[in-house]
Amino acid sequence: MAVTQFNTEAMEQCRTTVSSQAGQFGAIGDGFSNQYGNPDIFGKLGASGAVSSAVSAMDQAAAQEFEAAEKVLRKVESALDAIQTSVHDVEEANKNSMRAV
């Protein structure tokens, strides 16, 4: 049976990077919230309300997508942390089992 090797340093770097990216996506998404345009900024045209509604819908969709991306990255971070913890626990158990009694 082949021995599996884990590069804990690389896994930690990956987890840290994912955590950082999740925060950045969250911050971008937060910038979209409640930025709905006033129809008056599009002038007095009859379609100003429709343009404003479209901009608001796009704003809401973007905020939802960035929030979803942040949640996925947080799940990845959590999974990597669980893997690291599991590997560490197994290595400790193996190390302790090799000690002379």
Side-chain angles (χ1 to χ4, degrees):
M1 179 188 321
V3 176
T4 305
Q5 294 184 4
F6 292 93
N7 186 334
T8 56
E9 198 173 297
M11 288 178 64
E12 177 59 24
Q13 183 179 6
C14 184
R15 190 196 62 75
T16 303
T17 301
V18 167
S19 177
S20 172
Q21 292 298 311
Q24 290 178 12
F25 275 100
I28 292 169
D30 291 345
F32 278 94
S33 62
N34 299 321
Q35 299 296 322
Y36 310 121
N38 181 336
D40 292 339
I41 67 172
F42 298 105
K44 302 292 182 196
L45 301 172
S48 294
V51 171
S52 177
S53 293
V55 168
S56 295
M58 184 191 75
D59 178 70
Q60 289 175 335
Q64 290 171 350
E65 290 299 319
F66 281 110
E67 181 180 347
E70 179 183 18
K71 285 180 181 179
V72 168
L73 289 171
R74 293 285 179 212
K75 287 179 182 179
V76 170
E77 176 189 10
S78 178
L80 286 169
D81 186 55
I83 291 167
Q84 285 179 292
T85 300
S86 178
V87 168
H88 178 267
D89 291 349
V90 168
E91 286 179 349
E92 281 296 311
N94 289 341
K95 181 177 75 174
N96 292 334
S97 72
M98 296 294 197
R99 291 190 177 152
V101 183

